[in-house]
Amino acid sequence: MNGPVAPAADPGVEPGVDPSFDPRTGEQHGSVPHTAPEQVAEILRRALGAAPRIAGTSPATREAWLAAVADALRAHEDELVQLAGEETGLGADRLRGELAKCAASTVFYGAVAAEGSYLGAGTEGIGGDSTLSRWNIPVGPVAVFGASNFPFGFGVIGHDVASALGAGCPVVVKAHPAHPRLSVRLAELVADALDRAGAPVGSYALVVGFDAGLQLVDAAEITAVAFTGSQGGGMALVERAAARGVPVFAEMGTVNPVFVTTDAAADSAGIAAGFVGSFTLGAGQFCTKPGLLFAPAGAGLFDAVRAQLGQVPRAPLLTAGIARGYRAGLAGLARAAEATGAEVTGAEASAAATDIPVEPTDGYAVDPRALLVRLEDLHPGSRLLEECFGPVALICEYADAAGALDALVRLQPSLVASVFTGGPGDPESVEVVARLLGQVGRVALNAWPTGVATSWSMQHGGPWPATSRSDATSVGAGALDRFVRPVAVQNADSAHLPAALHPDNPWRIPRRIDGRLTLPTA
């Protein structure tokens, strides 16, 4: 994962570069040089210079820029999927789907900008001849630290970058060391598309290397940071940026719970199949992975999961470091589980948790695992509740739904939870959902949490430490809100007002005039 904690250097790797490894074989295929400090400084200077020009463009103009980026991604699909496959091992089908979603979401954020609600524009009389006008302005240059597990969706283009550009901010993005060659090629395509579409010089740029990333966070030109990655990396980044008072939206790792009601447990086979499919999707390397399932005792969920896991092949994790982290995390979970009398199962149920090979001769492939744990052992601070990034999950059988729910809501907050019910008349589900909403950003009813829609109503953020800001989302229309701030002018005449509040409404956006919401006429 990516963050302000320096990654351990692999033996034999040349300093000053990000090496490119194939996680399926462990072989190195080239490298990308780090960006020098003077180059970063020049990139920041250009971004700062571009900021007022981008902010002054109409949202419809920025919509056209983002559409051009999406067209470039689609035009180079085969090249990008091949390159991403060499560096992530995620497979062509998964990568083609992710690239298609990335292009679609890029267009979506342009449409959200053009619609204009995110501007919050309004004006009113406040007594006598006095007026008050309020709207949102772009914050300025944004630094984006992408994720290892979504090279398109949360990489050097994707939700964070597209929503920041849509909101009117220049973006400087840091290449992720898990896929440096892909990062560079994507950045070339994005920069070229923006240039051809008429975006100002400095609208978008890429830097490479750990020190270059720190230089971004410390730079006076950067006014906001977006990060997707590990909890440790995200918290360190938040602390470093806080020294300058810079807001950080960090989406970090958590254990996302699933609650199966008594009535729903009648379909234990179906739930087990869905659970295994969800927590092993992408080799368990999703921030929305369901990591802890509560099921009624006697429903046979653990046995059903055991049967399903026997059919799941081992899969490569993204990097050697992630594979080592999975092995260490799984070993810790297994020791904690064994100490409480819990049971471990997986493709090789009798194998020790430490037997997962991560040597280059075997790539970074691992087996999925599931652990049956006791309700009384799930409490704040328990080793069993630490996130293990990869295909492992816990199952807890409960005798009393109320007791299980009490334990669940005492746990660390998370991004998302799933609740499986026996139907509309299920008496347990109403209380379960109501109580979970205090713990998570999204509750999925009778659906697995790994699906995230790019839509107007999506919430992809939760209470700390799932994200550093519980009032924001990194996916969906609300993602633009992270990169604007409200301002007001009292007694403004037309020369002081932005286009968003000009009487003739040239941007064709919804506005609130004297308290009444008014929509643009056709």
Side-chain angles (χ1 to χ4, degrees):
M1 306 300 280
N2 198 22
V5 178
D10 289 322
V13 172
E14 179 185 353
V17 301
D18 276 357
S20 174
F21 290 100
D22 188 330
R24 298 163 298 187
T25 64
E27 296 180 40
Q28 181 176 344
H29 298 291
S31 61
V32 173
H34 291 175
T35 310
E38 58 272 18
Q39 293 174 306
V40 177
E42 177 61 17
I43 287 169
L44 289 166
R45 185 189 67 79
R46 291 180 180 178
L48 187 63
R53 296 182 60 193
I54 299 173
T57 60
S58 70
T61 298
R62 298 196 296 272
E63 180 183 30
W65 298 349
L66 290 171
V69 171
D71 288 343
L73 297 178
R74 296 186 183 107
H76 292 82
E77 176 183 349
D78 290 342
E79 173 195 358
L80 294 173
V81 167
Q82 179 177 344
L83 187 52
E86 293 172 0
E87 292 191 308
T88 68
L90 291 174
D93 290 343
R94 149 72 195 272
L95 290 168
R96 286 188 188 279
E98 187 185 331
L99 181 58
K101 290 179 180 178
C102 176
S105 67
T106 300
V107 172
F108 172 80
Y109 290 118
V112 172
E115 188 272 344
S117 293
Y118 82 98
L119 288 164
T123 189
E124 62 185 322
I126 56 172
D129 294 330
S130 293
T131 61
L132 194 61
S133 303
R134 186 179 190 268
W135 68 98
N136 293 327
I137 63 171
V139 296
V142 173
V144 172
F145 291 72
S148 60
N149 53 341
F150 282 91
F152 299 126
F154 284 96
V156 301
I157 186 62
H159 294 282
D160 290 331
V161 173
S163 57
L165 286 170
C169 299
V171 175
V172 183
V173 64
K174 179 187 172 296
H176 198 287
H179 32 78
R181 290 188 297 136
L182 175 66
S183 296
V184 168
R185 182 58 181 141
L186 272 171
E188 290 173 348
L189 292 172
V190 172
D192 181 67
L194 289 171
D195 180 64
R196 289 175 179 272
V201 173
S203 298
Y204 174 89
L206 175 82
V207 302
V208 181
F210 177 78
D211 290 338
L214 292 186
Q215 189 174 346
L216 293 184
V217 179
D218 295 340
E221 294 89 343
I222 294 297
T223 57
V225 177
F227 167 90
T228 301
S230 68
Q231 195 171 113
M235 292 175 73
L237 187 61
V238 168
E239 291 173 2
R240 188 172 185 116
R244 294 198 301 113
V246 172
V248 176
F249 181 86
E251 180 204 310
M252 300 174 284
T254 56
V255 178
N256 301 297
V258 177
F259 196 97
V260 180
T261 68
T262 305
D263 289 350
D267 184 25
S268 59
I271 290 174
F275 181 56
V276 170
S278 187
F279 87 76
T280 64
L281 184 66
Q285 299 170 113
F286 276 41
C287 57
T288 52
K289 180 192 81 173
L292 171 60
L293 183 143
F294 290 86
L301 257 296
F302 185 67
D303 289 339
V305 167
R306 185 203 307 268
Q308 290 288 332
L309 280 179
Q311 304 172 35
V312 178
R314 60 183 6 222
L317 298 184
L318 291 158
T319 68
I322 290 174
R324 285 192 294 266
Y326 176 75
R327 180 172 63 175
L330 186 55
L333 288 174
R335 285 192 294 269
E338 290 166 0
T340 63
E343 185 176 349
V344 181
T345 190
E348 301 173 19
S350 61
T354 54
D355 73 343
I356 302 170
V358 293
E359 296 303 321
T361 55
D362 192 44
Y364 312 139
V366 300
D367 289 311
R369 294 288 195 274
L371 294 82
L372 180 65
V373 299
R374 302 182 306 182
L375 183 63
E376 57 267 31
D377 296 317
L378 299 178
H379 53 79
S382 169
R383 176 65 182 83
L384 292 172
L385 295 174
E386 295 181 13
E387 185 199 24
C388 184
F389 192 66
V392 61
L394 311 181
I395 298 173
C396 177
E397 297 185 343
Y398 64 84
D400 174 65
L405 189 55
D406 286 343
L408 193 157
V409 298
R410 289 195 301 268
L411 304 181
Q412 177 174 282
S414 55
L415 281 172
V416 58
S418 286
V419 178
F420 285 85
T421 77
D426 190 333
E428 292 175 356
S429 64
V430 175
E431 182 183 4
V432 173
V433 171
R435 297 186 69 180
L436 278 173
L437 285 174
Q439 291 287 109
V440 303
R442 175 171 59 98
V443 174
L445 278 165
N446 298 314
W448 296 101
T450 34
V452 178
T454 306
S455 66
W456 285 88
S457 301
M458 177 51 61
Q459 172 59 29
H460 192 61
W464 178 273
T467 51
S468 58
R469 289 177 52 191
S470 60
D471 64 337
T473 179
S474 61
V475 178
L480 274 70
D481 296 341
R482 299 174 295 167
F483 307 116
V484 295
R485 67 176 182 86
V487 296
V489 176
Q490 191 168 337
N491 300 330
D493 57 36
S494 59
H496 303 126
L497 290 174
L501 283 173
H502 278 186
D504 57 352
N505 195 7
W507 285 359
R508 319 301 299 160
I509 64 169
R511 307 182 301 181
R512 192 168 292 276
I513 307 300
D514 288 324
R516 184 184 296 274
L517 181 63
T518 61
L519 302 179
T521 56

